[in-house]
Amino acid sequence: MNPYPIGTPGVAWGADERTQWRSRQRKLRSFADDVEARIQRLAIRFDVEEYGRLDYPPDHYPLLALRRRDTSDDRPWVLVTGGVHGYETSGVHGALQFLEQRAAEYTKDINLLAVPCVSPWAYERVQRWNANAVDPNRSFKEGTAAAESAALLKLIAPLRGRILLHVDLHETTDSDESEFRPALAARDGKPFEPGLIPDGFYLVDDSENPQLEFQRAIIEAVARVTHIAPADDKNEIIGSPLVAPGVIDYPLRELGLCAGITGARYTTTTEVYPDSPRATPEQCNAAQVAAVCSAIEFLLQKA
Ligand SMILES: [Zn+2]
């Protein structure tokens, strides 16, 4: 395998390598057209708020959240996030589709806060990292270097302890193995260890707060839309042992992952596989929507 085209193998990147990396990123799609316009159309039904701005000159992006009108302390808070990794398209479009098509069924029972695209610069460049070659999804920590993560932490801070459900929408893609994991190893001066990309949908639970009944309910709902990832011959998915069919777990807070920011009783990270020959983009979006709806239905049955 060829070495990653930036930096010296075995040496962690400095500022020069990060600048070089950024200069290679091209704008491939429009946040304003694909995402912001759809969010603004939803302003007839939700309060749309700009909870921060990203300044990566010459580019500037509003960070946008949608909130149920007339929230009430009688209803549980639900947080839906997408696009923490900008390249994971169905996370962004699935969140928007949920808001457009299904959210109205639930808003009488819940206070909904949704952030469809946490990382707009990366959405436009189909990238995992932000403009400074930082992964927002390892950066949800106090004093974080990622502006995307800092802004989201600040948005939810007044609701911490009141959010009962958080669904964070992601994908696992072939480009993880061909580009993003090699880039990560190069950036950190580590050797790249090849891995396997699972064919199908899976979930990541919180090992510090396992909620298997909840995860199983989501897997059951998503299985009606798209296929669930099988375990590999070590009974693992991407190097983690299965804790239930289609479910692995991580210590979310320790790793600074988005699904750990609320301390909610029920949290999950969806992982849709868009590169499967057996899945269309429409199915991937539908899988994200099914995951969100089934998670809310589970919560409402428990409440
Ligand atoms: Zn992701």
Side-chain angles (χ1 to χ4, degrees), residues 1-6 13 129 174-194:
M1 177 174 260
N2 293 327
Y4 196 75
I6 295 169
W13 292 359
W129 291 339
D174 288 349
S175 55
D176 286 336
E177 197 59 20
S178 62
E179 168 63 24
F180 300 127
R181 291 188 65 246
L184 174 65
R187 186 196 70 184
D188 295 348
K190 293 178 178 164
F192 171 59
E193 316 271 0

Side-chain angles (χ1 to χ4, degrees), residues 24-206:
R24 291 164 59 98
Q25 307 309 320
R26 297 280 170 271
K27 196 167 154 171
L28 302 171
R29 54 190 181 182
S30 165
F31 171 77
D33 295 347
D34 299 359
V35 183
E36 193 179 353
R38 281 172 79 179
I39 290 176
Q40 294 305 348
R41 281 197 291 275
L42 284 161
I44 50 166
R45 285 194 275 139
F46 296 92
D47 289 334
V48 173
E49 60 188 270
E50 185 175 319
Y51 65 93
R53 281 189 78 76
L54 289 182
D55 293 309
Y56 295 127
D59 297 297
H60 306 274
Y61 301 91
L63 294 171
L64 299 172
L66 301 96
R67 196 184 294 252
R68 183 203 194 282
R69 293 231 163 89
D70 306 319
T71 59
S72 149
D73 287 340
D74 303 337
R75 290 187 287 263
W77 278 91
V78 171
L79 174 65
V80 177
T81 46
V84 170
H85 289 138
Y87 70 112
E88 295 171 4
T89 305
S90 74
V92 178
H93 292 222
L96 290 167
Q97 191 171 316
F98 164 73
L99 292 163
E100 290 162 351
Q101 298 180 2
R102 301 295 304 275
E105 295 167 38
Y106 305 107
T107 40
K108 70 177 188 347
D109 297 315
I110 61 172
N111 295 318
L112 179 66
L113 179 64
V115 182
C117 188
V118 173
S119 187
W121 182 91
Y123 175 84
E124 292 199 327
R125 286 150 187 89
V126 195
Q127 252 302 333
R128 183 173 177 88
W129 291 339
N130 72 11
N132 300 320
V134 172
D135 185 342
N137 209 28
R138 296 295 181 280
S139 305
F140 288 97
K141 292 179 175 174
E142 204 66 35
T144 177
E148 296 81 1
S149 312
L152 187 62
L153 284 169
K154 198 170 155 213
L155 173 70
I156 63 119
L159 297 173
R160 198 168 288 139
R162 293 158 68 196
I163 297 174
L164 269 186
L165 167 66
H166 177 195
V167 185
D168 189 30
L169 306 176
H170 285 253
E171 293 181 343
T172 298
T173 66
D174 288 349
S175 55
D176 286 336
E177 197 59 20
S178 62
E179 168 63 24
F180 300 127
R181 291 188 65 246
L184 174 65
R187 186 196 70 184
D188 295 348
K190 293 178 178 164
F192 171 59
E193 316 271 0
L196 286 175
I197 299 298
D199 181 356
F201 178 94
Y202 64 97
L203 292 172
V204 183
D205 195 5
D206 185 358

